[in-house]
Amino acid sequence: PAQIMFCTLNTHKVDMDKLLGAQIGLEDFIFAHVKGQRKEVEVLKNDDVLGLTITDNGTGCAFIKRIKEGSLMDQIKTVCVGDHIESINGVNVSDCRHYKVAKMLKDLEKDQIFKLELIEPMKAFEMLEPRSQGGALPEAKISRGRETLRLRTKGPATVEEMPSEAEEKAIKKVDELLETYMGIRDIELAATMVEAGRDKKNPDEFAMALDESLGDFAFPDEFVFDVWGAIGDAKQGRL
């Protein structure tokens, strides 16, 4: 398990739109992407923004989910989507959550050279062909209800009802806000935040709930207010 960097659903490719997140359908296939070749790169930070979006697998393996087109890091072709960030300037961050790694990168001094040690996913499925129709699953469903297996960073996995359409839209919007404010993407975190706001009556109650369950993230007040607004917009059908 320590070798697994991330998992994708129903594809062997390093597709960040198919990452295994907080939910998995009862008929989904999971592909585990394990650690492959190590590489080092030195970068001159000549821009305030690197152009990286970081996420993690929930157990301390932070990896690159997106590289902004035209950004500083986009110009360095050895740095790729899916790469695990193992160390920054010799400081091992392989056990750090994604928000800590993103903050360390953001806090690097401008006009200074920094070194990244990366691990790319092993390219083990390049010759794998799609399954033929003959191997398709039967039409009968395991379950007729809208059920999903909910995976949590802490606590056991549970089978529960799928989020409502409004909650799904809110989760997607909150995930986008996480990238805007913190440079991270985390569907599980977004889902947890939407759940925290489900029965709250005002932003103050919502902020207190976040502090109790997710205090380590130290979310900015402006971000919390925007998340509350996104949850409210989804409930009112404005998303």
Side-chain angles (χ1 to χ4, degrees):
Q3 292 299 308
I4 296 176
M5 298 168 62
F6 53 86
C7 296
T8 50
L9 291 180
N10 304 318
T11 178
H12 64 278
K13 298 179 180 179
V14 180
D15 187 341
M16 295 294 114
D17 292 326
K18 302 290 186 180
L19 283 178
L20 173 62
Q23 288 91 23
I24 174 175
L26 296 179
E27 295 180 355
D28 284 329
F29 283 88
I30 303 174
F31 289 84
H33 298 257
V34 299
K35 295 177 180 178
Q37 182 178 341
R38 281 180 162 79
K39 52 191 178 182
E40 294 184 4
V41 61
E42 291 189 344
V43 182
L44 173 61
K45 187 180 181 183
N46 54 14
D47 195 335
D48 290 326
V49 179
L50 295 176
L52 294 180
T53 298
I54 310 298
T55 190
D56 68 36
N57 64 3
T59 60
C61 180
F63 58 93
I64 300 170
K65 183 169 185 179
R66 180 175 300 158
I67 300 175
K68 185 177 180 181
E69 186 176 354
S71 67
L72 171 62
M73 298 305 291
D74 188 39
Q75 301 170 30
I76 303 171
K77 300 308 178 186
T78 53
V79 178
C80 304
V81 169
D83 286 352
H84 163 48
I85 301 175
E86 186 176 40
S87 75
I88 302 171
N89 282 336
V91 178
N92 191 301
V93 295
S94 58
D95 290 328
C96 294
R97 290 299 308 274
H98 52 347
Y99 58 94
K100 292 184 178 179
V101 176
K103 186 177 187 304
M104 288 180 66
L105 291 171
K106 185 177 181 181
D107 291 345
L108 291 170
E109 292 185 26
K110 190 177 177 181
D111 297 323
Q112 297 291 323
I113 293 176
F114 66 93
K115 184 174 74 172
L116 292 177
E117 293 184 28
L118 307 166
I119 303 177
E120 65 181 34
M122 184 179 293
K123 297 177 176 62
F125 295 107
E126 293 303 313
M127 302 303 293
L128 188 66
E129 294 295 330
R131 293 185 351 142
S132 66
Q133 290 298 318
L137 290 171
E139 288 298 320
K141 302 295 184 182
I142 297 173
S143 172
R144 296 290 179 182
R146 281 173 53 84
E147 292 181 320
T148 181
L149 180 64
R150 178 71 190 276
L151 306 176
R152 303 177 186 275
T153 302
K154 297 180 179 179
T158 56
V159 176
E160 52 191 58
E161 288 296 308
M162 291 278 284
S164 67
E165 184 177 349
E167 287 176 333
E168 287 179 347
K169 291 181 178 179
I171 290 168
K172 181 179 179 181
K173 181 62 178 179
V174 172
D175 194 32
E176 293 172 354
L177 289 171
L178 281 168
E179 181 175 22
T180 300
Y181 278 90
M182 304 181 68
I184 64 175
R185 280 271 185 161
D186 191 326
I187 283 290
E188 181 191 349
L189 176 59
T192 300
M193 296 180 76
V194 171
E195 283 183 0
R198 184 176 291 161
D199 58 350
K200 301 301 179 291
K201 298 181 177 61
N202 56 62
D204 289 336
E205 288 186 6
F206 178 57
M208 290 179 61
L210 291 185
D211 282 342
E212 290 177 3
S213 59
L214 300 169
D216 290 345
F217 286 85
F219 295 122
D221 291 342
E222 183 181 0
F223 169 75
V224 173
F225 186 79
D226 282 353
V227 170
W228 174 253
I231 293 173
D233 287 344
K235 289 179 179 178
Q236 299 299 320
R238 293 192 292 265
L239 287 182

